[in-house]
Amino acid sequence: MEKIAFQKIYTKISKVTKATCSLIAENAGYEELAFVHKRLAQVVKIIDKEVTLQVFAGTEGIPTNAEVIFLGRPPSLRIGPDLEGRFLNAYGDPIDGGPELTGVETEIGGPSVNPVRREQPSQLISTGISGIDLNNTLVTGQKIPFFADPDQPYNQIMAMLALRTRADKIILGGMGLSNDDYLFFKNTFENAGALDRIIAFINTTEDPPVERLMVPDMALTAAEYYATNFNQKVMVLLTDMTLYADVLSIVSNRMEQIPSKDSMPGSLYSDLAKIYEKAVQFPDGGSITIIAVTTLSGGDITHAIPDNTGYITEGQLFLRRDTDVGKVVIDPFRSLSRLKQLVIGKQTREDHPQVMNTAIRLFADAANAKTKQENGFDLTEYDDRTLKFAHEYTEKLLAVDENLSINEMLDTGWDLLASHFSRSEVGIRENLLEKYWPNGKECEIVNVATESNS
Amino acid sequence: MKMNFDFEKFEDVGSYFRTVINSLKQMNYSEFQSDQFHRYEDELESLIGEKKVA
């Protein structure tokens, strides 16, 4: 336990709830850390001299005469080059059996960057996942959530993003991870030999849930260090923000605050915005991009957590299991990256916007054909072709397990368009058709059409 | 503007209008009143003429 010379020890707790305790104390500040009965706690409310402390490990067994020692500082992280490749807990202490951190003690949870010191995001950040790079291209400094059902493999996708994303540093903030998930992340990163560019802050289900409130701030403080001092492109992956928000609701409930929609605290929007607004593009080239997972309860996007998240972030990515191909895909209809227009066709190949829009339009035609099929209507020859196209498009481009460069995705897109449609059906600009349409493909289409008509 | 079109089979309707839509799109991509623009305009008029009922 930390010792400070002449520190004042309080021994008269006036009120104890499940997560908090209150006492009369002097000179305490908001977010200041303290030890209550040797358990770490944080100041969450001050009214006159009555200070309320949130005890991270819970208050069970704390007597009213327990020792309370204020540390005089808010939570901090030791920041330095030795952070790289480390697995740390919510307090920033190593959990990987490695040495203690030796860097500079830095306060976490500072303010987000002043808008006038920011640059308009305009740099592409590629992930190798077509559902993202092709249809919902991300930009450095963007903040975007994955909306997923709890049974979907979102942590595997986070690990995939950590390994494939072309960023200088990847910082993982794991909240409420099962031990299996934690070991999965650890083994995946170790086996890929990618630890030198990854830092992970982990709160597992075995740790006190309240601790996970510090994980995003820890991750973002580390991200700010690399983005501002070394002008690096930093990708922050946060999983799962729903579990983070659940703890916000538990704490606010125990502090007897009036709950808002879905039992969430009234400050939910601000609490989430404080995290997401740390995404930034600096003029010197450094950037922080945030991809977070928000699990949905029964796919309900009207719940307060995804609803508030949607107002803050710049789009959303929807995960869905496609029953036709049996793979997890990024739903092209429900997903959107609001900043993609800043880079597609500008930093990517000129045909990117047209290939993307055409493929999704034809995929929508396939969805209509599928509805017709399910309702027992006859399908036209065009409907059959759209269905075949949709199957291949899902398998080769929407499935998250395909790893392609953006040019390969576009070439695959052209190949699929030419395999199933004629030039006039795709409606792409003529000069692009001349340049990129695969030679000889259209003849096959005519044959397919003739065969199915006959 | 109201027009009537005549088709032999129902299946022809979709494919015909997809071709019409493509001509309109290509016109939209072209510079206004350019040679390319007029080429697609002529193509569109000819397409409409093929199926239009007088």
Side-chain angles (χ1 to χ4, degrees):
Chain A
M1 194 168 82
E2 233 169 291
K3 294 276 181 192
I4 303 168
F6 306 114
Q7 65 193 163
K8 200 168 180 181
I9 299 173
Y10 296 89
T11 54
K12 197 175 174 186
I13 295 173
S14 53
K15 192 164 128 193
V16 181
T17 69
K18 277 183 185 171
T20 65
C21 62
S22 306
L23 69 155
I24 301 299
E26 286 176 348
N27 301 324
Y30 268 100
E31 296 186 359
E32 184 177 338
L33 289 178
F35 278 106
V36 178
H37 202 54
K38 295 184 181 171
R39 295 178 201 175
L40 200 62
Q42 188 175 24
V43 176
V44 288
K45 191 160 81 177
I46 304 173
I47 296 174
D48 293 330
K49 284 186 179 176
E50 191 188 45
V51 177
T52 304
L53 290 152
Q54 173 184 294
V55 185
F56 293 123
T59 56
E60 201 178 353
I62 293 180
T64 51
N65 63 352
E67 280 190 355
V68 179
I69 302 167
F70 289 91
L71 301 184
R73 59 168 180 81
S76 57
L77 173 67
R78 283 186 176 277
I79 288 218
D82 57 352
L83 266 177
E84 287 165 19
R86 302 303 303 273
F87 280 79
L88 309 162
N89 65 12
Y91 303 117
D93 296 326
I95 52 170
D96 51 8
E100 289 294 314
L101 299 176
T102 57
V104 180
E105 197 85 42
T106 308
E107 195 179 307
I108 67 162
S112 53
V113 178
N114 187 332
V116 300
R117 305 292 297 274
R118 293 168 180 242
E119 185 103 314
Q120 161 91 328
S122 60
Q123 298 295 315
L124 167 86
I125 189 158
S126 64
T127 64
I129 297 173
S130 318
I132 298 178
D133 291 355
L134 183 64
N135 296 337
N136 299 289
T137 321
L138 299 185
V139 179
T140 56
Q142 187 167 0
K143 43 196 180 288
I144 194 162
F146 261 108
F147 287 162
D149 282 329
D151 60 343
Q152 281 165 344
Y154 52 85
N155 282 333
Q156 281 82 338
I157 291 162
M158 287 278 122
M160 218 182 264
L161 282 170
L163 297 178
R164 290 186 194 174
T165 302
R166 295 205 175 153
D168 300 313
K169 286 283 175 300
I170 304 287
I171 302 187
L172 172 72
M175 291 160 277
L177 294 184
S178 66
N179 261 325
D180 282 352
D181 284 333
Y182 163 51
L183 291 173
F184 164 75
F185 277 119
K186 200 160 182 279
N187 292 337
T188 308
F189 296 161
E190 277 171 1
N191 294 341
L195 276 180
D196 58 330
R197 64 186 196 110
I198 294 175
I199 301 153
F201 294 88
I202 304 288
N203 160 268
T204 67
T205 43
E206 286 184 2
D207 301 321
V210 181
E211 284 180 8
R212 72 179 68 133
L213 293 180
M214 291 202 290
V215 169
D217 283 338
M218 283 282 171
L220 290 161
T221 305
E224 282 166 352
Y225 167 70
Y226 289 105
T228 55
N229 293 325
F230 303 102
N231 300 330
Q232 292 190 338
K233 275 186 185 179
V234 186
M235 169 81 89
V236 177
L237 304 170
L238 300 172
T239 171
D240 161 4
M241 289 301 287
T242 298
L243 295 178
Y244 171 86
D246 283 345
V247 174
L248 285 176
S249 107
I250 292 168
V251 170
S252 89
N253 183 281
R254 286 176 182 172
M255 287 169 64
E256 291 165 12
Q257 291 174 353
I258 297 168
S260 185
K261 187 172 177 277
D262 297 317
S263 308
M264 286 292 144
S267 61
L268 180 66
Y269 182 91
S270 312
D271 293 328
L272 294 174
K274 203 177 78 179
I275 294 168
Y276 287 117
E277 292 298 346
K278 291 267 178 113
V280 59
Q281 172 71 58
F282 291 105
D284 293 335
S287 65
I288 301 173
T289 310
I290 301 177
I291 301 186
V293 168
T294 298
T295 48
L296 306 174
S297 150
D300 178 16
I301 55 160
T302 65
H303 188 278
I305 303 170
D307 189 29
N308 280 279
T309 302
Y311 281 102
I312 301 162
T313 54
E314 291 143 346
Q316 68 282 322
L317 300 163
F318 261 93
L319 282 185
R320 157 172 81 76
R321 181 168 288 281
D322 189 281
T323 44
D324 282 347
V325 298
K327 288 182 175 181
V328 175
V329 302
I330 293 176
D331 191 329
F333 297 144
R334 305 181 83 192
S335 304
L336 171 70
S337 162
R338 290 185 191 277
L339 302 187
K340 67 181 171 186
Q341 71 275 14
L342 297 172
V343 289
I344 58 168
K346 294 173 183 140
Q347 292 194 359
T348 59
R349 222 164 69 184
E350 58 183 335
D351 53 326
H352 187 161
Q354 292 242 315
V355 173
M356 172 188 78
N357 290 331
T358 305
I360 292 180
R361 176 171 55 79
L362 295 166
F363 193 71
D365 282 351
N368 288 337
K370 203 169 180 194
T371 309
K372 278 166 77 176
Q373 193 177 39
E374 284 164 356
N375 288 291
F377 290 93
D378 287 340
L379 295 185
T380 64
E381 175 272 332
Y382 177 76
D383 290 334
D384 283 332
R385 281 191 284 130
T386 58
L387 287 173
K388 281 177 193 156
F389 163 77
H391 187 88
E392 282 190 46
Y393 179 67
T394 308
E395 202 162 34
K396 292 182 178 170
L397 286 174
L398 291 184
V400 291
D401 55 359
E402 297 296 328
N403 186 6
L404 303 169
S405 72
I406 296 185
N407 282 355
E408 286 171 334
M409 292 169 197
L410 291 168
D411 290 341
T412 309
W414 279 109
D415 205 46
L416 291 178
L417 292 175
S419 301
H420 299 282
F421 302 101
S422 65
R423 286 177 179 228
S424 66
E425 281 172 329
V426 296
I428 289 179
R429 192 189 287 259
E430 196 183 62
N431 63 330
L432 295 177
L433 284 173
E434 291 303 324
K435 198 167 171 184
Y436 297 105
W437 187 267
N439 288 333
K441 278 280 183 181
E442 201 171 6
C443 296
E444 288 177 36
I445 293 296
V446 174
N447 292 340
V448 170
T450 317
E451 276 169 28
S452 57
N453 280 338
S454 60
Chain B
M1 192 164 61
K2 194 175 168 185
M3 279 185 208
N4 290 320
F5 293 90
D6 184 34
F7 295 97
E8 282 178 20
K9 287 186 292 180
F10 177 74
E11 280 84 39
D12 295 345
V13 179
S15 113
Y16 174 76
F17 279 103
R18 275 191 289 277
T19 315
V20 169
I21 289 166
N22 181 56
S23 296
L24 287 164
K25 278 185 176 169
Q26 298 299 342
M27 265 177 86
N28 193 36
Y29 296 141
S30 312
E31 190 185 329
F32 185 56
Q33 301 294 19
S34 64
D35 289 348
Q36 200 182 25
F37 180 90
H38 289 302
R39 184 158 58 85
Y40 285 114
E41 195 176 31
D42 293 345
E43 190 180 290
L44 188 63
E45 277 171 15
S46 143
L47 269 171
I48 290 172
E50 276 176 29
K51 299 285 179 188
K52 191 179 160 189
V53 178

